[in-house]
Amino acid sequence: QVQLVESGGGLVQAGGSLRLSCAASGGTFSRYAMGWFRQAPGKEREFVAAISRFGINADYFDSVKGRFTISRDNAKNTVYLQMNSLKPEDTAVYYCAAAQRGWDSRMRFTSVYNYWGQGTQVTVSS
């Protein structure tokens, strides 16, 4: 059983930056591809970014490309999401997730992830 704990959310003005962290425990971190998703009020959970087990591959939702960067440190069992040039439409609860699988085209789907964190709120004011 893998436990995931997100941190780093908060309130920021438009154009600002935040770095989210997700600390994993209870499993061998390098066995898991990791993803970040977000959910705004009244909307479905959507894919933000994903990274392969050793950080070789990464994928981003179109609206965050060039602004967000996903990375991981397997020695620290942690995945990060650096968010720059934040916009009000980035406001959501952000979740990290772990998928015990190799990298493939389905990393954008919530169904391939085995474990989820509790989420951290990101609010971007205009």
Side-chain angles (χ1 to χ4, degrees):
Q1 188 78 9
V2 174
Q3 292 81 43
L4 303 172
V5 179
E6 302 96 334
S7 61
L11 173 64
V12 64
Q13 289 188 330
S17 298
L18 284 174
R19 188 175 84 154
L20 305 184
S21 299
C22 173
S25 61
T28 302
F29 187 61
S30 60
R31 289 182 178 177
Y32 296 88
M34 300 297 295
W36 285 98
F37 290 76
R38 66 187 180 188
Q39 188 167 18
K43 295 187 177 182
E44 292 190 354
R45 193 168 297 189
E46 67 177 11
F47 170 76
V48 176
I51 190 166
S52 59
R53 293 179 296 168
F54 295 97
I56 303 300
N57 301 103
D59 187 25
Y60 297 91
F61 188 51
D62 284 351
S63 69
V64 308
K65 282 182 181 178
R67 300 189 298 123
F68 291 11
T69 302
I70 189 170
S71 62
R72 64 189 295 160
D73 185 337
N74 286 354
K76 295 182 178 179
N77 292 348
T78 302
V79 62
Y80 305 97
L81 186 68
Q82 177 67 45
M83 305 186 295
N84 299 328
S85 302
L86 282 160
K87 304 175 181 180
E89 52 263 42
D90 295 318
T91 295
V93 177
Y94 283 71
Y95 299 89
C96 74
Q100 191 170 6
R101 62 187 293 117
W103 185 259
D104 63 31
S105 61
R106 290 171 290 176
M107 300 311 300
R108 295 186 173 209
F109 296 96
T110 58
S111 59
V112 307
Y113 292 86
N114 307 100
Y115 304 100
W116 293 83
Q118 83 289 348
T120 186
Q121 177 70 48
V122 171
T123 303
V124 184
S125 64
S126 58

